[in-house]
PDB file of all heavy atoms in Angstrom:
ATOM      1  N   ASP N 107       5.127 -10.064   9.472  1.00  0.00           N
ATOM      2  CA  ASP N 107       6.462 -10.620   9.459  1.00  0.00           C
ATOM      3  C   ASP N 107       6.677 -11.350   8.233  1.00  0.00           C
ATOM      4  O   ASP N 107       7.068 -12.593   8.269  1.00  0.00           O
ATOM      5  CB  ASP N 107       6.695 -11.451  10.698  1.00  0.00           C
ATOM      6  CG  ASP N 107       6.602 -10.670  11.992  1.00  0.00           C
ATOM      7  OD1 ASP N 107       7.119  -9.566  11.929  1.00  0.00           O
ATOM      8  OD2 ASP N 107       6.037 -11.114  12.943  1.00  0.00           O
ATOM      9  N   SER N 108       6.343 -10.766   7.094  1.00  0.00           N
ATOM     10  CA  SER N 108       6.556 -11.390   5.826  1.00  0.00           C
ATOM     11  C   SER N 108       7.033 -10.380   4.705  1.00  0.00           C
ATOM     12  O   SER N 108       7.358  -9.377   5.059  1.00  0.00           O
ATOM     13  CB  SER N 108       5.285 -12.121   5.348  1.00  0.00           C
ATOM     14  OG  SER N 108       4.298 -11.251   5.021  1.00  0.00           O
ATOM     15  N   SER N 109       6.948 -10.852   3.537  1.00  0.00           N
ATOM     16  CA  SER N 109       7.240  -9.900   2.352  1.00  0.00           C
ATOM     17  C   SER N 109       6.463 -10.269   1.259  1.00  0.00           C
ATOM     18  O   SER N 109       5.922 -11.438   1.142  1.00  0.00           O
ATOM     19  CB  SER N 109       8.776  -9.798   1.983  1.00  0.00           C
ATOM     20  OG  SER N 109       9.156 -11.126   1.635  1.00  0.00           O
ATOM     21  N   PHE N 110       6.283  -9.402   0.306  1.00  0.00           N
ATOM     22  CA  PHE N 110       5.581  -9.619  -0.969  1.00  0.00           C
ATOM     23  C   PHE N 110       6.282  -8.900  -2.077  1.00  0.00           C
ATOM     24  O   PHE N 110       6.825  -7.856  -1.893  1.00  0.00           O
ATOM     25  CB  PHE N 110       4.127  -9.324  -0.849  1.00  0.00           C
ATOM     26  CG  PHE N 110       3.770  -7.889  -0.654  1.00  0.00           C
ATOM     27  CD1 PHE N 110       3.458  -7.036  -1.819  1.00  0.00           C
ATOM     28  CD2 PHE N 110       3.801  -7.221   0.489  1.00  0.00           C
ATOM     29  CE1 PHE N 110       3.170  -5.672  -1.635  1.00  0.00           C
ATOM     30  CE2 PHE N 110       3.500  -5.804   0.727  1.00  0.00           C
ATOM     31  CZ  PHE N 110       3.233  -5.117  -0.411  1.00  0.00           C
ATOM     32  N   ASP N 111       6.168  -9.499  -3.320  1.00  0.00           N
ATOM     33  CA  ASP N 111       6.724  -8.843  -4.517  1.00  0.00           C
ATOM     34  C   ASP N 111       5.585  -8.177  -5.210  1.00  0.00           C
ATOM     35  O   ASP N 111       4.414  -8.678  -5.380  1.00  0.00           O
ATOM     36  CB  ASP N 111       7.316  -9.881  -5.431  1.00  0.00           C
ATOM     37  CG  ASP N 111       8.571 -10.491  -4.764  1.00  0.00           C
ATOM     38  OD1 ASP N 111       9.272  -9.786  -4.097  1.00  0.00           O
ATOM     39  OD2 ASP N 111       8.689 -11.839  -4.904  1.00  0.00           O
ATOM     40  N   ILE N 112       5.929  -6.968  -5.728  1.00  0.00           N
ATOM     41  CA  ILE N 112       4.855  -6.207  -6.467  1.00  0.00           C
ATOM     42  C   ILE N 112       5.532  -5.635  -7.743  1.00  0.00           C
ATOM     43  O   ILE N 112       6.639  -5.058  -7.634  1.00  0.00           O
ATOM     44  CB  ILE N 112       4.260  -5.156  -5.624  1.00  0.00           C
ATOM     45  CG1 ILE N 112       3.049  -4.454  -6.282  1.00  0.00           C
ATOM     46  CG2 ILE N 112       5.200  -4.138  -5.067  1.00  0.00           C
ATOM     47  CD1 ILE N 112       2.182  -3.642  -5.419  1.00  0.00           C
ATOM     48  N   GLU N 113       4.849  -5.905  -8.886  1.00  0.00           N
ATOM     49  CA  GLU N 113       5.257  -5.197 -10.098  1.00  0.00           C
ATOM     50  C   GLU N 113       4.200  -4.262 -10.469  1.00  0.00           C
ATOM     51  O   GLU N 113       3.067  -4.734 -10.905  1.00  0.00           O
ATOM     52  CB  GLU N 113       5.461  -6.245 -11.151  1.00  0.00           C
ATOM     53  CG  GLU N 113       5.913  -5.660 -12.527  1.00  0.00           C
ATOM     54  CD  GLU N 113       5.961  -6.705 -13.680  1.00  0.00           C
ATOM     55  OE1 GLU N 113       5.959  -7.887 -13.440  1.00  0.00           O
ATOM     56  OE2 GLU N 113       6.032  -6.214 -14.868  1.00  0.00           O
ATOM     57  N   VAL N 114       4.458  -2.989 -10.351  1.00  0.00           N
ATOM     58  CA  VAL N 114       3.443  -1.941 -10.631  1.00  0.00           C
ATOM     59  C   VAL N 114       3.524  -1.715 -12.197  1.00  0.00           C
ATOM     60  O   VAL N 114       4.452  -1.362 -12.734  1.00  0.00           O
ATOM     61  CB  VAL N 114       3.762  -0.642  -9.888  1.00  0.00           C
ATOM     62  CG1 VAL N 114       2.757   0.429 -10.236  1.00  0.00           C
ATOM     63  CG2 VAL N 114       3.717  -0.934  -8.387  1.00  0.00           C
ATOM     64  N   VAL N 115       2.364  -2.011 -12.753  1.00  0.00           N
ATOM     65  CA  VAL N 115       2.229  -1.860 -14.248  1.00  0.00           C
ATOM     66  C   VAL N 115       1.701  -0.417 -14.584  1.00  0.00           C
ATOM     67  O   VAL N 115       2.192   0.106 -15.558  1.00  0.00           O
ATOM     68  CB  VAL N 115       1.161  -2.934 -14.804  1.00  0.00           C
ATOM     69  CG1 VAL N 115       0.930  -2.674 -16.300  1.00  0.00           C
ATOM     70  CG2 VAL N 115       1.601  -4.291 -14.375  1.00  0.00           C
ATOM     71  N   GLU N 116       0.836   0.107 -13.783  1.00  0.00           N
ATOM     72  CA  GLU N 116       0.298   1.429 -13.955  1.00  0.00           C
ATOM     73  C   GLU N 116       0.384   2.103 -12.619  1.00  0.00           C
ATOM     74  O   GLU N 116      -0.082   1.500 -11.564  1.00  0.00           O
ATOM     75  CB  GLU N 116      -1.161   1.329 -14.493  1.00  0.00           C
ATOM     76  CG  GLU N 116      -1.810   2.671 -14.739  1.00  0.00           C
ATOM     77  CD  GLU N 116      -3.266   2.379 -15.141  1.00  0.00           C
ATOM     78  OE1 GLU N 116      -3.563   1.471 -15.941  1.00  0.00           O
ATOM     79  OE2 GLU N 116      -4.148   3.277 -14.672  1.00  0.00           O
ATOM     80  N   THR N 117       0.790   3.365 -12.565  1.00  0.00           N
ATOM     81  CA  THR N 117       0.966   4.024 -11.301  1.00  0.00           C
ATOM     82  C   THR N 117      -0.121   3.706 -10.240  1.00  0.00           C
ATOM     83  O   THR N 117      -1.359   3.866 -10.626  1.00  0.00           O
ATOM     84  CB  THR N 117       0.943   5.505 -11.488  1.00  0.00           C
ATOM     85  OG1 THR N 117       2.149   5.842 -12.350  1.00  0.00           O
ATOM     86  CG2 THR N 117       1.237   6.422 -10.199  1.00  0.00           C
ATOM     87  N   LEU N 118       0.208   3.192  -9.150  1.00  0.00           N
ATOM     88  CA  LEU N 118      -0.649   2.748  -8.079  1.00  0.00           C
ATOM     89  C   LEU N 118      -0.919   3.674  -6.973  1.00  0.00           C
ATOM     90  O   LEU N 118       0.034   4.165  -6.359  1.00  0.00           O
ATOM     91  CB  LEU N 118      -0.070   1.447  -7.545  1.00  0.00           C
ATOM     92  CG  LEU N 118      -0.919   0.467  -6.861  1.00  0.00           C
ATOM     93  CD1 LEU N 118      -1.894  -0.248  -7.837  1.00  0.00           C
ATOM     94  CD2 LEU N 118      -0.052  -0.700  -6.270  1.00  0.00           C
ATOM     95  N   HIS N 119      -2.077   3.980  -6.637  1.00  0.00           N
ATOM     96  CA  HIS N 119      -2.655   4.863  -5.626  1.00  0.00           C
ATOM     97  C   HIS N 119      -3.221   3.934  -4.657  1.00  0.00           C
ATOM     98  O   HIS N 119      -4.088   3.038  -4.926  1.00  0.00           O
ATOM     99  CB  HIS N 119      -3.611   5.881  -6.014  1.00  0.00           C
ATOM    100  CG  HIS N 119      -3.098   6.841  -7.087  1.00  0.00           C
ATOM    101  ND1 HIS N 119      -2.678   8.073  -6.752  1.00  0.00           N
ATOM    102  CD2 HIS N 119      -2.936   6.640  -8.443  1.00  0.00           C
ATOM    103  CE1 HIS N 119      -2.249   8.649  -7.862  1.00  0.00           C
ATOM    104  NE2 HIS N 119      -2.347   7.794  -8.942  1.00  0.00           N
ATOM    105  N   TYR N 120      -2.709   3.948  -3.374  1.00  0.00           N
ATOM    106  CA  TYR N 120      -3.226   2.938  -2.434  1.00  0.00           C
ATOM    107  C   TYR N 120      -3.341   3.522  -0.968  1.00  0.00           C
ATOM    108  O   TYR N 120      -2.958   4.596  -0.674  1.00  0.00           O
ATOM    109  CB  TYR N 120      -2.201   1.801  -2.333  1.00  0.00           C
ATOM    110  CG  TYR N 120      -0.842   2.074  -1.678  1.00  0.00           C
ATOM    111  CD1 TYR N 120      -0.765   2.072  -0.350  1.00  0.00           C
ATOM    112  CD2 TYR N 120       0.194   2.783  -2.392  1.00  0.00           C
ATOM    113  CE1 TYR N 120       0.466   2.433   0.301  1.00  0.00           C
ATOM    114  CE2 TYR N 120       1.327   3.129  -1.690  1.00  0.00           C
ATOM    115  CZ  TYR N 120       1.439   2.939  -0.460  1.00  0.00           C
ATOM    116  OH  TYR N 120       2.580   3.329   0.136  1.00  0.00           O
ATOM    117  N   VAL N 121      -4.129   2.698  -0.175  1.00  0.00           N
ATOM    118  CA  VAL N 121      -4.271   2.922   1.276  1.00  0.00           C
ATOM    119  C   VAL N 121      -3.768   1.661   1.853  1.00  0.00           C
ATOM    120  O   VAL N 121      -4.339   0.483   1.518  1.00  0.00           O
ATOM    121  CB  VAL N 121      -5.654   3.224   1.758  1.00  0.00           C
ATOM    122  CG1 VAL N 121      -5.705   3.376   3.217  1.00  0.00           C
ATOM    123  CG2 VAL N 121      -6.181   4.503   1.005  1.00  0.00           C
ATOM    124  N   CYS N 122      -2.927   1.596   2.857  1.00  0.00           N
ATOM    125  CA  CYS N 122      -2.461   0.399   3.502  1.00  0.00           C
ATOM    126  C   CYS N 122      -3.054   0.504   5.012  1.00  0.00           C
ATOM    127  O   CYS N 122      -2.933   1.440   5.626  1.00  0.00           O
ATOM    128  CB  CYS N 122      -0.907   0.405   3.592  1.00  0.00           C
ATOM    129  SG  CYS N 122      -0.314  -1.108   4.338  1.00  0.00           S
ATOM    130  N   HIS N 123      -3.843  -0.526   5.233  1.00  0.00           N
ATOM    131  CA  HIS N 123      -4.559  -0.676   6.616  1.00  0.00           C
ATOM    132  C   HIS N 123      -3.616  -1.610   7.397  1.00  0.00           C
ATOM    133  O   HIS N 123      -3.480  -2.725   6.989  1.00  0.00           O
ATOM    134  CB  HIS N 123      -5.891  -1.205   6.393  1.00  0.00           C
ATOM    135  CG  HIS N 123      -6.774  -0.401   5.443  1.00  0.00           C
ATOM    136  ND1 HIS N 123      -7.630   0.624   5.737  1.00  0.00           N
ATOM    137  CD2 HIS N 123      -6.916  -0.499   4.093  1.00  0.00           C
ATOM    138  CE1 HIS N 123      -8.193   1.119   4.767  1.00  0.00           C
ATOM    139  NE2 HIS N 123      -7.768   0.412   3.632  1.00  0.00           N
ATOM    140  N   TYR N 124      -3.177  -1.178   8.586  1.00  0.00           N
ATOM    141  CA  TYR N 124      -2.352  -2.040   9.324  1.00  0.00           C
ATOM    142  C   TYR N 124      -3.063  -2.671  10.517  1.00  0.00           C
ATOM    143  O   TYR N 124      -4.033  -2.045  11.107  1.00  0.00           O
ATOM    144  CB  TYR N 124      -1.185  -1.155   9.966  1.00  0.00           C
ATOM    145  CG  TYR N 124      -0.391  -0.510   8.907  1.00  0.00           C
ATOM    146  CD1 TYR N 124      -0.386   0.885   8.688  1.00  0.00           C
ATOM    147  CD2 TYR N 124       0.638  -1.240   8.244  1.00  0.00           C
ATOM    148  CE1 TYR N 124       0.360   1.407   7.715  1.00  0.00           C
ATOM    149  CE2 TYR N 124       1.482  -0.644   7.349  1.00  0.00           C
ATOM    150  CZ  TYR N 124       1.318   0.737   7.005  1.00  0.00           C
ATOM    151  OH  TYR N 124       2.055   1.314   6.109  1.00  0.00           O
TER     152      TYR N 124
END
Side-chain angles (χ1 to χ4, degrees):
D107 296 319
S108 66
S109 64
F110 65 98
D111 295 322
I112 185 167
E113 180 186 345
V114 176
V115 177
E116 181 183 319
T117 300
L118 199 64
H119 300 258
Y120 70 92
V121 176
C122 185
H123 306 267
Y124 299 103

